[in-house]
Amino acid sequence: MSLRSSVAAGVGHLSYSVLHGIFNRGSSLPGLVALKLDPDILYHYKDRYDFVIVGGTNGKTTATALAVQALKQKYPDVLYNPTGSNMKRGIATIFVTAPKPKKKGLAVLEVDEANIVRIVKYFKPKTFVFTNLFRDQLDRYSELYATWDRMLEGVRMAPKATIIANADDPIFNSVDLPNPRIWYGFNDQPMGDLEAPSNTDGVVCPKCHHIIHYGFITYGGLGAYFCPNCGHKRPKLDYEVTTVERMTSADSVVKFDGNEFKIPVGGGYNIYNALAAYSLARFMGVNSSSIKNAFAESPEIFGRQEKVQIGDKEMVIIMVKNQIGVDTVLDMIKTDKEPFSFAFLLTALPADGEDTSWIWDCNFETLKGYNIPYYLVGAANYKDAATRFKFGGFKGVNVEPDPAKLIDRIKEIPTKRMYVVTCYTAMRQLRKALAEQKLIDGGME
């Protein structure tokens, strides 16, 4: 490592020590400082690790966390970005703050879709793992085909990397690539001939633009797809969900390739995330029984169904950032058999996407059938959220502009549990307040 890089890494590490030691923060600023001093500092870590890059719209943080738990059953030194800070500065932070591995380590990096090409410039991954692609932050990413093109720029820089992709997403099989490919998906339902609802991402075939059909649909535009016009169809699965035995708001029991696993987070979308983690771990040589043990021991992942006890109330924090994310979370919440309250926190800073129009596509109205006694909308863009709920026909919706005050407001709810569905910035604000009151450990910038 050059003198310039050594200084940059040292300053980055020092800034992390200060931020983490005093404020319990530091997931991206240390990397930003290091990159200011040496824009190519990442290049100096390329020989210390084998690399896995996890990309896609939703599920990256959960899939990465579960995969790391599984990979640790075989690999003693696994580095990853647990806070989900997945842009170049966040990636730089984990390298400048990590101790040098004694042997070549394994780095499993959740990477923002637009940043994959910036990271592959420095690291040639052994594997890409792709979860799904949906419309997300249109002011930043544009439509999903543009996002896929950005991801492909990075993939084409690493033609020998194996791609482990969600076979149920039609876009991942739409382009010929030299890379070896492994496919995972659901195979637990009888086949029919269905079309997705019109307000669905990717409702047309990515090859010929004919309306795509499905043998079955899992959620959104995911499922056993086929195009009746050009023949584009789901590829043969290498790893599959063969049975969903139980799915609740807290966990699921499923069978992957006929073997039973308990997934420590609820919702069908998290079965996909667990299957992505399972597929990566199997590809990396971890056996099924070790993966099963790893999933059982997986810790909570902050902001992803994170449970916080406040007096006799339980707050469940779930981060969302787009329409399909909200809808899948609502589907998960609706499986809760106990009474619950509901809060939606909306922010529109650059980290969230500054366009809030996506909330009008969310199916909030489906909550009306569940006798929810208390609704709240909040955070900086609470007026937009309140308007959405007003036009959705909700009455008596409470308002709280300051996410930190939810800690007090939760005392007024008539249920033991409140689901807080929140955008990224509001989640940070809420978690910061929770950490200051020693209700959680904190640890986000």
Side-chain angles (χ1 to χ4, degrees):
M1 183 176 284
S2 67
L3 177 60
R4 181 184 185 187
S5 298
S6 297
V7 170
V11 173
H13 194 282
L14 178 61
S15 66
Y16 174 79
S17 299
V18 172
L19 288 167
H20 189 71
I22 298 176
F23 304 106
N24 203 18
R25 299 181 183 180
S27 62
S28 66
L29 184 58
L32 179 62
V33 171
L35 288 167
K36 287 288 185 185
L37 296 171
D38 181 358
D40 293 321
I41 191 171
L42 289 176
Y43 179 79
H44 299 284
Y45 298 93
K46 69 180 180 63
D47 294 324
R48 294 185 185 181
Y49 301 89
D50 287 323
F51 295 93
V52 174
I53 288 180
V54 182
T57 304
N58 292 338
K60 295 187 291 292
T61 301
T62 302
T64 300
L66 291 171
V68 168
Q69 286 296 116
L71 290 166
K72 283 181 177 177
Q73 304 295 308
K74 180 177 180 179
Y75 298 88
D77 201 342
V78 183
L79 185 68
Y80 76 117
N81 39 348
T83 65
S85 184
N86 58 25
M87 297 190 187
K88 188 177 179 181
R89 64 184 65 175
I91 304 299
T93 295
I94 66 168
F95 286 109
V96 302
T97 58
K100 185 176 181 180
K102 294 177 182 177
K103 297 181 180 178
K104 194 170 190 179
L106 176 64
V108 182
L109 306 175
E110 169 193 342
V111 181
D112 169 83
E113 299 88 286
N115 276 263
I116 289 177
V117 67
R118 299 169 188 164
I119 299 304
V120 178
K121 173 183 176 183
Y122 302 102
F123 309 141
K124 294 297 177 281
K126 182 182 180 73
T127 310
F128 292 102
V129 178
F130 292 147
T131 58
N132 49 63
L133 274 183
F134 297 111
R135 282 180 294 165
D136 181 37
Q137 303 182 30
L138 295 181
D139 52 330
R140 177 167 168 247
Y141 289 120
S142 186
E143 279 291 345
L144 62 90
Y145 298 105
T147 304
W148 179 226
D149 284 342
R150 289 194 184 97
M151 294 171 68
L152 285 172
E153 283 186 58
V155 170
R156 290 185 171 116
M157 294 168 67
K160 295 182 180 179
T162 297
I163 299 172
I164 301 174
N166 186 344
D168 294 348
D169 192 327
I171 203 167
F172 289 143
N173 191 30
S174 62
V175 177
D176 292 330
L177 294 167
N179 306 64
R181 286 195 263 190
I182 290 174
W183 301 102
Y184 66 87
F186 274 59
N187 194 21
D188 67 320
Q189 302 177 40
M191 300 293 280
D193 187 350
L194 307 171
E195 292 184 17
S198 56
N199 189 27
T200 299
D201 290 348
V203 71
V204 298
C205 173
K207 286 201 168 184
C208 73
H209 300 165
H210 190 278
I211 298 296
I212 205 158
H213 288 220
Y214 295 84
F216 61 82
I217 297 171
T218 51
Y219 74 86
L222 305 184
Y225 65 85
F226 62 94
C227 176
N229 184 54
C230 73
H232 181 53
K233 64 180 181 179
R234 183 172 77 159
K236 184 178 183 298
L237 303 179
D238 296 287
Y239 300 109
E240 59 188 22
V241 177
T242 48
T243 308
V244 178
E245 296 183 346
R246 187 187 77 207
M247 185 167 62
T248 73
S249 60
D251 57 35
S252 298
V253 176
V254 301
K255 286 186 177 177
F256 293 161
D257 301 330
N259 300 309
E260 185 174 285
F261 292 83
K262 182 177 180 181
I263 311 302
V265 281
Y269 63 102
N270 278 318
I271 296 176
Y272 268 116
N273 295 332
L275 182 61
Y278 166 84
S279 302
L280 172 60
R282 289 297 309 276
F283 173 71
M284 298 291 286
V286 184
N287 62 47
S288 292
S289 61
S290 296
I291 298 171
K292 182 176 182 178
N293 293 336
F295 284 178
E297 297 168 359
S298 290
E300 285 192 346
I301 306 160
F302 67 76
R304 276 73 174 178
Q305 299 183 27
E306 183 178 18
K307 299 180 178 65
V308 184
Q309 196 67 35
I310 303 174
D312 65 343
K313 309 292 186 183
E314 182 184 71
M315 177 184 290
V316 183
I317 304 171
I318 308 172
M319 197 199 84
V320 296
K321 56 178 184 172
N322 50 45
Q323 174 259 328
I324 192 69
V326 168
D327 286 349
T328 53
V329 165
L330 297 181
D331 287 342
M332 181 273 294
I333 288 173
K334 288 181 291 191
T335 65
D336 194 337
K337 303 299 184 187
E338 300 297 324
F340 61 87
S341 299
F342 180 83
F344 177 58
L345 306 184
L346 180 64
T347 42
L349 292 174
D352 307 296
E354 298 177 49
D355 173 17
T356 62
S357 62
W358 57 272
I359 66 173
W360 291 91
D361 290 327
C362 300
N363 292 319
F364 292 113
E365 287 80 0
T366 62
L367 292 173
K368 290 180 178 178
Y370 291 85
N371 195 30
I372 300 171
Y374 184 99
Y375 287 95
L376 181 145
V377 294
N381 292 78
Y382 71 93
K383 291 182 180 177
D384 292 335
T387 301
R388 172 66 184 85
F389 275 66
K390 176 183 176 181
F391 280 88
F394 292 86
K395 307 290 186 184
V397 176
N398 298 276
V399 171
E400 178 48 71
D402 184 356
K405 291 184 178 177
L406 250 65
I407 299 170
D408 291 327
R409 295 293 296 267
I410 197 172
K411 297 171 185 173
E412 69 188 45
I413 68 172
T415 57
K416 292 288 188 183
R417 179 175 299 144
M418 169 182 268
Y419 288 100
V420 179
V421 177
T422 172
C423 293
Y424 178 73
T425 300
M427 180 188 74
R428 288 176 53 186
Q429 295 166 340
L430 175 58
R431 292 192 85 261
K432 179 175 182 290
L434 291 166
E436 289 173 350
Q437 296 195 29
K438 310 298 184 186
L439 293 166
I440 60 172
D441 291 335
M444 282 188 70
E445 186 175 27

